Amino acid sequence: LHPPAQLPHVLSVTKIKYPDHFRQILRVTPYTFDRITAKICTDPVFVNHSHCEQHPVNVQLAVTLYRFGHSGNAAGQSAVARWAGVGHGTVSLMMRRVMTAIFRPDFMAEAVRFPTAEEKEAAK
């Protein structure tokens, strides 16, 4: 018997009442999380014509960020699946969809920017 999944609480309570804790868990602010969700939610990878619906995009993004933001046993597929309340294989499917959407050229062009030479110099 497993304890209840933590993900629903993180998205419904922690995100709103404890944004600093949300950031510790998913490694992004609630604002950034919402912006990424809004940008990728229309990607075709999240369209499903099956009788078995996908989880909402914000859930898939949260699972992906949680796994990328942790290391060791906490980042294992089983641990992430228990944290999110989903099956082992679902974690991989969610991550694949999110990364497909993020690596699309239009998203990358808008969301990812490398520092200029001046910014690199100032950071030294």
Side-chain angles (χ1 to χ4, degrees):
L1 200 59
H2 296 290
Q6 296 175 35
L7 176 59
H9 183 78
V10 169
L11 292 178
S12 63
V13 177
T14 307
K15 182 179 165 199
I16 296 161
K17 291 188 175 185
Y18 310 101
D20 290 341
H21 191 62
F22 180 89
R23 187 170 189 267
Q24 288 176 338
I25 297 167
L26 297 184
R27 308 294 197 243
V28 295
T29 64
Y31 174 79
T32 299
F33 181 84
D34 289 342
R35 292 285 309 257
I36 295 171
T37 300
K39 289 290 182 191
I40 67 173
C41 71
T42 58
D43 191 280
V45 76
F46 298 113
V47 175
N48 188 353
H49 298 293
S50 163
H51 69 279
C52 188
E53 290 186 23
Q54 290 185 24
H55 288 272
V57 175
N58 67 329
V59 170
Q60 296 187 55
L61 177 60
V63 168
T64 302
L65 292 173
Y66 182 85
R67 187 155 193 212
F68 283 154
H70 290 78
S71 60
N73 291 339
Q77 197 161 340
S78 295
V80 175
R82 279 191 304 277
W83 176 81
V86 299
H88 296 75
T90 305
V91 172
S92 295
L93 290 172
M94 289 178 171
M95 292 183 70
R96 185 177 305 123
R97 288 183 196 122
V98 169
M99 295 315 298
T100 297
I102 285 176
F103 283 135
R104 299 250 194 237
D106 55 329
F107 181 88
M108 293 293 287
E110 186 176 336
V112 178
R113 179 181 76 79
F114 292 101
T116 64
E118 295 81 23
E119 290 170 331
K120 288 180 186 177
E121 190 60 36
K124 289 184 180 180

